[in-house]
Amino acid sequence: MSNGDVYERTHDELDFEFLGNVRGKEWRVQTNVYGNGSTAAGREERYGLWFDPTEDFHRYAIHWTRDRIIFYIDDTPIREMVRTESMGAQFPSKPMSLYATIWDGSSWATSGGRYKVDYKYAPYVAEFADLALRGCAAGPAAACATSGGDDDAYGHAAAAMPPARRSAMEAFRARYMTYGYCYDRLRYPAPLPECSVGAEAAAFLPSGDARAALHRHGRRSRMRRGADFAV
């Protein structure tokens, strides 16, 4: 999601980015939150996946309200960003469009740019199904006219993630998160103001990368949800 075509220097952006993989190892996905052109203050997180996204459809969703942003994979919340006063205009707040692209990020994406795209395997194809967009009219006086108001597609209010979903999110992050901007002391000697860093910071290197290597070979099926769809 982006509005870079309208706001060239002050664009907002929310992303799922698949960063590729090395054969036989886990795929990685990155989420981005940029507001008001704040790419220099990137709010990126990366995670390993418990499945191969090229083998079947899965459900990817972003729940974006004026107060918080929640990313989901297969109905499991993986990241929540709550709007804080200190973020100011860096919390995405302008109307955005939805884009799906394939682009060459091999200068940085796969193991820090170690592995490049091999164009002998082109053309590259991405398939999508059952796209669903739900939203409200834009503008300061706009309000949702649909039933449910601020309830998300999963049936709970934006202001209160149910305990079971929050527990699922925390479990996902403890097991699969491989990089967090809030722990990146090289890029941010002082954490960005919305970051609340506690004892879990010990699990991350000063680069923001998780200390523990992920060893999940043969265990992808444990969290597979069945016939999910890409959104």
Side-chain angles (χ1 to χ4, degrees), residues 155-231:
H156 64 271
M161 185 186 295
R165 287 193 176 274
R166 186 164 298 282
S167 294
M169 180 177 70
E170 292 172 354
F172 172 92
R173 294 172 67 80
R175 184 173 183 184
Y176 293 107
M177 188 169 170
T178 62
Y179 170 83
Y181 76 97
C182 282
Y183 309 110
D184 190 338
R185 296 285 74 79
L186 302 181
R187 191 174 182 184
Y188 308 108
L192 292 180
E194 73 275 6
C195 292
S196 178
V197 177
E200 80 283 358
F204 293 84
L205 297 168
S207 62
D209 296 302
R211 292 181 181 275
L214 299 180
H215 300 292
R216 299 192 305 274
H217 298 297
R219 296 188 289 176
R220 287 174 177 156
S221 61
R222 289 187 182 180
M223 293 186 70
R224 190 179 294 275
R225 304 291 192 200
D228 295 310
F229 301 96
V231 177

Side-chain angles (χ1 to χ4, degrees), residues 13-164:
E13 187 174 331
L14 299 173
D15 299 314
F16 276 106
E17 293 182 338
F18 292 87
L19 304 185
N21 75 328
V22 176
R23 185 180 298 275
K25 295 186 179 181
E26 289 80 7
W27 279 75
R28 293 182 305 149
V29 66
Q30 176 167 300
T31 59
N32 303 328
V33 176
Y34 303 135
N36 204 41
S38 63
T39 52
R43 292 173 166 88
E44 302 97 346
E45 291 187 354
R46 290 192 289 273
Y47 327 89
L49 290 177
W50 63 93
F51 56 83
D52 183 340
T54 68
E55 290 181 347
D56 200 356
F57 285 97
H58 290 266
R59 187 186 301 272
Y60 309 97
I62 301 174
H63 180 200
W64 172 42
T65 74
R66 58 182 170 268
D67 298 316
R68 69 189 61 222
I69 299 161
I70 306 175
F71 293 82
Y72 292 85
I73 297 179
D74 288 347
D75 296 343
T76 297
I78 67 167
R79 177 181 184 181
E80 178 185 38
M81 172 164 281
V82 178
R83 185 175 195 165
T84 65
E85 184 177 354
S86 61
M87 291 182 69
Q90 291 188 5
F91 186 91
S93 58
K94 299 185 287 293
M96 288 190 274
S97 299
L98 181 65
Y99 298 86
T101 63
I102 299 176
W103 58 283
D104 185 349
S106 57
S107 63
W108 65 273
T110 306
S111 298
R114 182 178 178 184
Y115 301 98
K116 309 301 182 184
V117 170
D118 189 339
Y119 284 95
K120 76 178 183 181
Y121 296 106
Y124 304 107
V125 178
E127 296 183 58
F128 302 87
D130 292 341
L131 173 66
L133 293 174
R134 301 181 181 92
C136 308
C144 283
T146 58
S147 61
D150 284 338
D151 282 9
D152 71 4
Y154 305 95
H156 64 271
M161 185 186 295

